[in-house]
Amino acid sequence: MAEFPEKELMNSGHNACPGCGAAHAMRYMLKALGKNTTVNIPACCWAVIPGVYPSRNLEVPLLYTAFETTGASSSGIRAALKKRDDVDDAEVEVVGFAGDGGTADIGIQALSGAIERNTDTIQVMYDNEAYMNTGIQRSGVTPEGAWTTTTPVGSKGDWKKQPKKEMMEIVESHNVPYAATVNIAYPDSFVEKFKKAKEFSGPRFMHIYAPCPTGWRARPSDAVELGRLAHKSRFFPLFEIEHGKYNIYKEPKEDEVIPVKEYLKIQGRFRHLPEEMVEKIQKRVDTKWEQLKKKERFTQEELYE
Amino acid sequence: MSEYKIVTGNFASAYGARLARAEVVSAYPITPQTEVVEKISEFVADGDMDAEFVKVESEHSAMASCIAASATGARAYTATSAHGLALMHEMLMWAARARLPIVMTNVNRAMGPPWSVWADHLDTIAQKGSGMMQFFCENNQEVLDSILMAYKISEDEDIMLPSMVVEDAFILSHTREPVEIYDQELVDDFLPPLDMDQKVDIEDPKGFGSLVMPDWYMDFAKKLEEAMMEAKDKVKEVNKEFKETFGRDPGGLIEEYKTDGVDVLMITMGSISGTSKDVIDELRDEGHNIGLARLRTFRPFPKEEIRELTKDVNVVGILDRSYSFGRAGDAAREIKEAIYGYNSPLVKNYIVGLGGRDLTPEVLELIMEDSLELLDEDPDQDELDPEVEWVDLRIDRNKWRR
């Protein structure tokens, strides 16, 4: 294992909630990518976390942008860097850093455009599974069964009825050279995968699992534990796709795997779920896991060898 | 070497961006702007223009990437029209508030429904509060000239505001006229490379556009307005320098055509001005004391110039190629507001040419005769009926034909 980078590019003093997974995400990402990084951030929690004018807690250039523009903004930065005489643009990593709504809902068009154009950029979705900055409204990436302020359960059981939008698959269908899921509960592999992403050029996509204790109605001290349970229950599998080849990493051993129920039960946002819904979620997780395993096998063995 | 080419307004835009050495171009196709992006694509493909052309998936992304490119220190250009401009609306606001010197062409086209691809100014006028400067052009040469001037004005360290150069759909965008394509060295002297103090830079990391509390926001807004006011002098100054360098005078904030001591002043914007000037000449030959002023900049709005021009005028006839529903044409509304408390000519507003309706010399002459009649009748403003007249509607065509 490579040494964990000591250099901090995110300073102390931020506006995140206690236990914020997104705060970890930025910190670890910048440790991996280093100072030759630009970050463009749309409307999201991270539009507020760096601090209110004139404060700012990042040691890299930070361009705030409109909600739906992350991919396009990264394209613009990259295009301009290519024209700069004082910059070796190949030495600069251009990162678009957006939440799940900004990436998968309102920003999906700009993301699709940027990666289809083969823009040299890392597009990051830090996934806290709802519009958290505006007060916990459902996004397309909110998991099935969750309470949010716009899926308020009520007396009619009106929780989020649709499964989580699968951004890794959507991105993969654009034929990007590299995409990976990472989890803030595992800083070593988090940093390792970002460093790996940095070795590629062209469009890369990183899906960060970033628990939000505030929005998930969990204890702030459980943020990292939530990450571990999501991983062990296979609710959020860790995998990467390199030129079409799937690779599951940090795979939980069979005897380590826990029921999804263990993950759901420490979150208030799932507390209303009847037993049959928990079973349904478990079934979906199992199916998705099987699919992922088959994709891995197919792309590693049959398709490419 | 400078050379004349017979080109459309769209090609004039593309040549303008090329002569200005735009470094990042980001655009999305829309009728009737498409030739701009096609021509620039050719320039880039042939190595005649050293630009990064980001072929985005929407107009919103076009302006978003121009904003990011400009914030990273590149001279950025885009072009669009009507629905594309409306889709950009959020980012136009953003470009202005981020104080980025982006220059764009907007080909004026009507908003649907019903679908129309023809000339209408509402798309541009609807962005009047965006914080972008707006330059309305009369002909294709002015389109090219205005792009060069717009960069110089926008990039001035006291201004730092984006600009919109406006050409009428088809009447300019698809009509070929002789246009002087200036010598590149001359343009380079007039418009040196962009050099921004504050930009996205890994050696000097800064944050751009962060959250501010109410205790700050209003002061930033006031600074934008101060830049807009400063831009009025800058437009005149750059216009003068342009004339000295290239021998052309596009007219600064407002072009005056035979306005000295007139009784009746017509005010126009955009391509109808050329035909209107011919009609003015005819009427003056017939002995009528009538002149014309052409608004070049709708933002910043030349209120002082308007006051001066209307000081001794009895009737002002204002032609608007757009309509602000529930009120009037916007040029008329703004001109009235500018002169309130200063001068009190009779003001009549003519709504003309929406959705590309043809404005023939005949119709323009009838409009001007209508204003001249007001001079003889001398009604009070509150007796004007209608005060805002929609010209050449199908229902009363006879009125607008000899």
Side-chain angles (χ1 to χ4, degrees):
Chain A
M1 170 91 46
E3 207 167 299
F4 196 71
E6 278 185 26
K7 173 82 177 160
E8 297 285 358
L9 290 162
M10 175 179 153
N11 295 325
S12 59
H14 62 69
N15 289 339
C17 302
C20 174
H24 292 74
M26 178 67 84
R27 179 171 171 239
Y28 299 151
M29 179 186 82
L30 291 180
K31 278 178 175 290
L33 299 181
K35 68 174 275 293
N36 287 1
T37 303
T38 69
V39 179
N40 59 280
I41 298 181
C44 61
C45 291
W46 257 100
V48 179
I49 295 172
V52 172
Y53 178 85
S55 303
R56 185 171 52 91
N57 73 346
L58 298 185
E59 298 278 348
V60 294
L62 168 51
L63 182 68
Y64 296 88
T65 64
F67 210 167
E68 63 279 56
T69 69
T70 309
S73 300
S74 298
S75 297
I77 293 172
R78 176 57 74 193
L81 288 174
K82 286 184 184 171
K83 306 308 293 179
R84 286 263 294 269
D85 296 333
D86 61 332
V87 178
D88 178 2
D89 98 282
E91 296 298 310
V92 183
E93 206 56 81
V94 175
V95 176
F97 195 83
D100 46 293
T103 303
D105 289 348
I106 196 170
I108 196 168
Q109 177 179 316
L111 171 73
S112 175
I115 62 181
E116 181 274 333
R117 290 190 301 271
N118 205 34
T119 310
D120 187 12
T121 175
I122 299 179
Q123 295 290 296
V124 174
M125 174 168 82
Y126 69 93
D127 180 9
N128 50 27
E129 299 192 324
Y131 292 91
M132 294 311 186
N133 194 41
T134 44
I136 325 168
Q137 294 83 24
R138 81 173 305 268
S139 80
V141 190
T142 302
E144 185 176 16
W147 163 92
T148 67
T149 55
T150 51
T151 50
V153 183
S155 57
K156 293 160 73 179
D158 187 14
W159 54 74
K160 170 119 185 301
K161 301 293 179 185
Q162 304 80 10
K164 189 177 171 79
K165 191 188 284 192
E166 292 184 46
M167 287 308 292
M168 285 290 281
E169 299 305 314
I170 290 170
V171 168
E172 164 51 19
S173 68
H174 290 71
N175 302 307
V176 300
Y178 187 73
T181 64
V182 293
N183 185 329
I184 61 98
Y186 306 103
D188 287 323
S189 63
F190 186 114
V191 167
E192 185 192 321
K193 296 306 174 194
F194 263 95
K195 284 191 163 178
K196 186 168 179 181
K198 193 174 159 63
E199 287 165 19
F200 292 79
S201 61
R204 291 141 288 164
F205 180 74
M206 302 297 282
H207 180 169
I208 303 177
Y209 182 80
C212 172
T214 306
W216 297 2
R217 297 298 190 238
R219 291 187 306 186
S221 56
D222 276 344
V224 172
E225 182 63 10
L226 281 162
R228 290 178 185 143
L229 297 178
H231 176 241
K232 287 181 193 163
S233 63
R234 296 169 171 164
F235 184 87
F236 188 85
L238 291 172
F239 67 105
E240 58 194 339
I241 311 172
E242 195 177 329
H243 291 298
K245 281 190 185 183
Y246 283 65
N247 174 42
I248 300 170
Y249 71 92
K250 223 177 165 62
E251 184 175 336
K253 296 188 183 73
E254 281 301 328
D255 60 351
E256 287 174 356
V257 176
I258 57 164
V260 174
K261 194 175 182 176
E262 300 298 309
Y263 167 68
L264 302 179
K265 77 179 183 190
I266 65 166
Q267 303 174 61
R269 64 173 172 158
F270 295 115
R271 100 175 109 211
H272 52 271
L273 290 181
E275 194 55 38
E276 63 267 25
M277 261 307 292
V278 175
E279 283 165 24
K280 189 182 168 198
I281 292 169
Q282 179 69 59
K283 205 169 171 196
R284 189 182 294 283
V285 165
D286 293 343
T287 307
K288 285 286 155 196
W289 177 258
E290 281 308 308
Q291 281 180 359
L292 184 62
K293 291 293 283 181
K294 283 179 178 167
K295 279 177 195 161
E296 182 185 44
R297 199 158 58 239
F298 176 72
T299 58
Q300 292 275 353
E301 295 166 11
E302 296 176 34
L303 182 61
Y304 295 94
E305 281 167 24
Chain B
M1 278 292 285
S2 153
E3 60 173 329
Y4 276 88
K5 285 183 186 292
I6 312 293
V7 296
T8 62
N10 281 344
F11 281 15
S13 273
Y15 276 105
R18 172 175 142 181
L19 282 172
R21 294 190 188 278
E23 296 165 294
V24 173
V25 177
S26 182
Y28 185 79
I30 181 171
T31 303
Q33 153 269 31
T34 38
E35 281 183 334
V36 183
V37 291
E38 289 168 357
K39 195 69 185 167
I40 291 178
S41 298
E42 284 174 27
F43 288 155
V44 173
D46 290 335
D48 293 331
M49 186 171 172
D50 182 21
E52 288 291 318
F53 193 164
V54 187
K55 287 156 193 170
V56 282
E57 76 300 330
S58 76
E59 288 89 355
H60 195 280
S61 283
M63 187 46 82
S65 49
C66 280
I67 285 167
S70 183
T72 311
R75 184 172 284 160
Y77 173 81
T78 188
T80 190
S81 180
H83 290 261
L85 189 71
L87 182 59
M88 273 184 193
H89 174 71
E90 179 192 22
M91 303 323 292
L92 304 179
M93 294 261 179
W94 197 287
R97 278 148 192 79
R99 306 296 299 273
L100 296 169
I102 299 160
V103 172
M104 68 177 296
T105 296
N106 184 55
V107 185
N108 282 130
R109 164 188 154 178
M111 296 296 295
W115 277 121
S116 165
V117 294
W118 294 279
D120 191 303
H121 290 170
L122 183 61
D123 55 352
T124 300
I125 298 290
Q127 306 301 338
K128 65 182 186 285
S130 65
M132 287 190 83
M133 293 183 279
Q134 298 184 332
F135 300 91
F136 280 80
C137 298
E138 179 182 318
N139 55 48
N140 294 351
Q141 182 72 55
E142 192 182 337
V143 171
L144 185 150
D145 296 354
S146 295
I147 288 172
L148 303 181
M149 286 189 285
Y151 273 113
K152 195 164 174 86
I153 298 158
S154 287
E155 291 176 1
D156 188 281
E157 61 178 4
D158 294 331
I159 312 294
M160 294 300 284
L161 289 173
S163 288
M164 210 184 273
V165 172
V166 172
E167 56 175 67
D168 287 342
F170 294 97
I171 301 161
L172 296 188
S173 74
H174 285 63
T175 306
R176 287 174 182 264
E177 294 180 337
V179 171
E180 185 177 3
I181 314 292
Y182 303 114
D183 178 55
Q184 183 69 58
E185 277 182 33
L186 206 58
V187 175
D188 291 346
D189 288 344
F190 174 76
L191 183 66
L194 172 62
D195 181 20
M196 279 166 50
D197 289 351
Q198 311 277 335
K199 52 180 173 270
V200 171
D201 189 353
I202 53 167
E203 298 304 328
D204 183 19
K206 291 189 168 77
F208 298 89
S210 75
L211 179 71
V212 299
M213 297 317 255
D215 198 33
W216 277 103
Y217 185 90
M218 195 163 164
D219 299 80
F220 284 121
K222 181 64 176 18
K223 281 180 180 297
L224 196 159
E225 174 59 4
E226 283 166 6
M228 210 32 121
M229 291 301 105
E230 184 75 23
K232 288 192 201 176
D233 285 338
K234 192 57 66 181
V235 169
K236 289 189 246 181
E237 188 186 313
V238 170
N239 195 81
K240 187 163 170 277
E241 194 181 333
F242 189 86
K243 190 181 172 187
E244 285 161 8
T245 311
F246 301 102
R248 277 205 175 74
D249 181 3
L253 296 162
I254 187 162
E255 185 200 0
E256 298 173 28
Y257 187 75
K258 304 186 179 173
T259 56
D260 278 354
V262 293
D263 295 324
V264 175
L265 180 70
M266 306 306 294
I267 301 182
T268 58
M269 292 164 78
S271 63
I272 62 167
S273 311
T275 323
S276 298
K277 287 173 188 169
D278 286 346
V279 176
I280 291 279
D281 286 345
E282 282 173 29
L283 290 169
R284 289 179 69 93
D285 286 349
E286 290 168 20
H288 298 293
N289 193 11
I290 188 168
L292 180 139
R294 176 173 70 93
L295 270 177
R296 265 194 88 234
T297 63
F298 195 70
R299 286 292 179 273
F301 192 80
K303 63 179 179 190
E304 291 86 359
E305 285 73 11
I306 292 282
R307 283 172 197 155
E308 187 60 31
L309 272 167
T310 54
K311 208 161 57 180
D312 300 314
V313 166
N314 296 314
V315 175
V316 178
I318 303 162
L319 279 64
D320 265 295
R321 193 167 208 145
S322 71
Y323 194 77
S324 185
F325 294 97
R327 183 63 183 86
D330 275 276
R333 199 172 60 77
E334 300 238 355
I335 289 163
K336 277 183 167 178
E337 181 268 338
I339 64 176
Y340 179 77
Y342 291 82
N343 314 317
S344 45
L346 201 60
V347 180
K348 180 157 177 179
N349 187 196
Y350 302 92
I351 306 303
V352 299
L354 304 193
R357 177 152 304 185
D358 202 14
L359 270 163
T360 60
E362 183 183 5
V363 172
L364 286 167
E365 193 174 328
L366 286 163
I367 290 170
M368 293 186 202
E369 282 174 3
D370 183 75
S371 286
L372 286 164
E373 276 169 32
L374 292 177
L375 184 65
D376 300 333
E377 292 164 12
D378 194 27
D380 288 337
Q381 186 77 34
D382 63 359
E383 292 167 355
L384 262 187
D385 184 26
E387 190 181 10
V388 180
E389 180 149 17
W390 290 58
V391 172
D392 198 25
L393 292 173
R394 296 173 66 88
I395 202 168
D396 61 0
R397 277 257 149 100
N398 290 339
K399 183 178 174 186
W400 302 100
R401 296 289 181 277
R402 293 264 180 225

